Amino acid sequence: MESRMEVGFVGLGRMGQLMARHLLEHRGDSRLTVLERTPGRLAELAEAGATVVATSREVAEASELVVVMVPAIADIRAALEGPDGLLAGVRRPLLLVVSSTTAPQDVRDLQADLAGHEPPVTVVDAPVSGGVEGAKAATLSIMVGGPDAAAAAVVEILAPAGRAVHLGPLGAGQVAKACNQLIVAAQIVAVAEASLLAEKAGLDVGKLLDLLGGGYAASRVLEVKGPKLVAHDHSPDGPAKFMIKDLSAARDEAAASGLRLVTGPVLLDAFTSLTEAGLGDQDTTVVQEWIAQQSPATMTPGR
C-alpha cells in the first residue's frame, strides 16, 4: 500500500533534485508532486513526469507523504505556515518526512506543535548522508526515526534513493545524523592535518593518501575528500558552516544524555572559528586552509 502513496517533495537543491528523480523513476502510476520556486529549475523532473506546482499548499493537497529537505528547522516551519503553506493544504492524514538535518529535539517539538492538527500530521525524521555523490548514485544512508507504521512507509518510499533504515522513535534519525557528522568532521580534520603534515615534510601527498587508503586509515571521507585536499580545492560540495549546526546538535544531545564528548567540542570550535574567519561557505575541506593559517609562517616544506 505504501508504494502507491501520493508523494510530494519540497526543497529541491542539489541533493533533493537527485533524490526526487530516483523516487520518480520508481513511482509507477503514482504521482510525485514537486514545488518550483525558481522558474525552469525543475524542467528535467517535469519532463520525467513530476507534477510541478507553485506553492507548498498545493504539494500537501496532492500528497499523503511529503518529504521536506530545506536547510534548517526555521525553513521547515516557514514552509508549513501561512495560506500557501503545507498545513493549509492538508486534506487527509499526512506523513511529514523531515530529511533536513536538524537537532533531534527540533523534530520532537515540531510533532508536539502539530499534535492537535486535523487531519493529523505525523512527523518522521529521515536525514541522509552520502553527499551529492551518494544522491546521484542512489546510495545514500537514510536514517529514519518515528512510529513503527509511519517509519515503515517512509523506509519503503525512500528506498530508491539509498539504504533507508528505521533506527528508533522520532528524533532517532537526527541523533544518527549527529553521530555521522561527528565522525565525518573528525575524519575531515584528521585527513586535512595529515595532508599538511606530509606536504610540509616534502612527501607526495597524493601518493600518501592513496597508500593510506589501503590500510586502517581508509574511509569514504579519505576517498572522496582526499583528492580535494591534495589539490587544495575547497569548492563547495557541502558548505563547512553547516557543520556548526550538526556538531551543535551532537553537543546538545550529549548534554541531554549526561555524556561528556572528547572530540565534539574541539571540532565545533574549529568549524565555528573558520566560519568566523570567512571560510564557512567553502567546502568542509577548507579546514585545511584554516589550519595552515593558524600555523607559524616559518614552517617550510621538506625541512
Side-chain angles (χ1 to χ4, degrees):
M1 180 176 66
E2 289 82 1
S3 62
R4 294 193 296 274
M5 271 186 170
E6 301 289 359
V7 175
F9 210 115
V10 174
L12 291 150
R14 295 179 69 193
M15 290 183 64
Q17 285 194 53
L18 293 166
M19 289 177 65
R21 182 57 189 260
H22 292 307
L23 267 58
L24 184 60
E25 290 171 351
H26 289 77
R27 289 278 72 212
D29 294 332
S30 298
R31 180 168 51 189
L32 178 69
T33 303
V34 297
L35 172 63
E36 179 179 36
R37 294 201 184 279
T38 305
R41 185 174 183 180
L42 303 183
E44 183 179 337
L45 285 173
E47 290 173 5
T51 300
V52 179
V53 297
T55 66
S56 298
R57 186 195 72 247
E58 293 171 89
V59 175
E61 287 173 345
S63 306
E64 299 166 82
L65 180 151
V66 176
V67 180
V68 180
M69 197 168 193
V70 293
I73 189 65
D75 302 296
I76 296 170
R77 288 185 175 272
L80 289 170
E81 300 300 332
D84 287 326
L86 281 165
L87 293 180
V90 177
R91 301 288 181 265
R92 48 190 162 173
L94 178 72
L95 290 181
L96 180 65
V97 182
V98 177
S99 283
S100 311
T101 298
T102 75
Q105 193 58 42
D106 286 342
V107 290
R108 299 172 189 138
D109 291 343
L110 181 61
Q111 180 66 87
D113 291 342
L114 295 173
H117 192 275
E118 286 296 335
V121 178
T122 301
V123 179
V124 174
D125 56 320
V128 305
S129 178
V132 174
E133 299 86 0
K136 189 177 298 183
T139 58
L140 292 171
S141 293
I142 305 170
M143 298 157 263
V144 181
D148 289 348
V154 172
V155 165
E156 182 173 345
I157 292 294
L158 296 185
R163 184 185 177 204
V165 177
H166 182 204
L167 296 168
L170 183 62
Q174 300 297 343
V175 173
K177 183 61 183 284
C179 294
N180 180 85
Q181 295 303 85
L182 188 62
I183 294 169
V184 168
Q187 290 178 336
I188 288 173
V189 171
V191 179
E193 288 184 332
S195 72
L196 288 170
L197 185 62
E199 184 178 272
K200 296 298 183 182
L203 279 66
D204 183 316
V205 179
K207 288 182 178 179
L208 171 67
L209 296 186
D210 182 64
L211 180 64
L212 297 182
Y216 276 174
S219 70
R220 182 66 175 156
V221 167
L222 180 62
E223 178 186 348
V224 173
K225 300 296 187 181
K228 290 176 72 73
L229 290 166
V230 172
H232 290 259
D233 170 15
H234 309 313
S235 55
D237 286 331
K241 64 185 179 184
F242 288 169
M243 275 293 184
I244 298 173
K245 169 171 63 79
D246 300 344
L247 293 169
S248 294
R251 175 201 61 199
D252 294 346
E253 192 66 19
S257 303
L259 181 65
R260 183 176 180 180
L261 300 179
V262 176
T263 60
V266 176
L267 295 168
L268 178 56
D269 179 68
F271 282 97
T272 300
S273 297
L274 71 84
T275 299
E276 291 173 349
L279 302 174
D281 289 327
Q282 299 187 61
D283 192 76
T284 50
T285 56
V286 78
V287 71
Q288 179 190 53
E289 180 178 334
W290 178 76
I291 293 168
Q293 290 177 0
Q294 313 308 303
S295 304
T298 54
M299 290 184 66
T300 56
R303 296 158 298 157

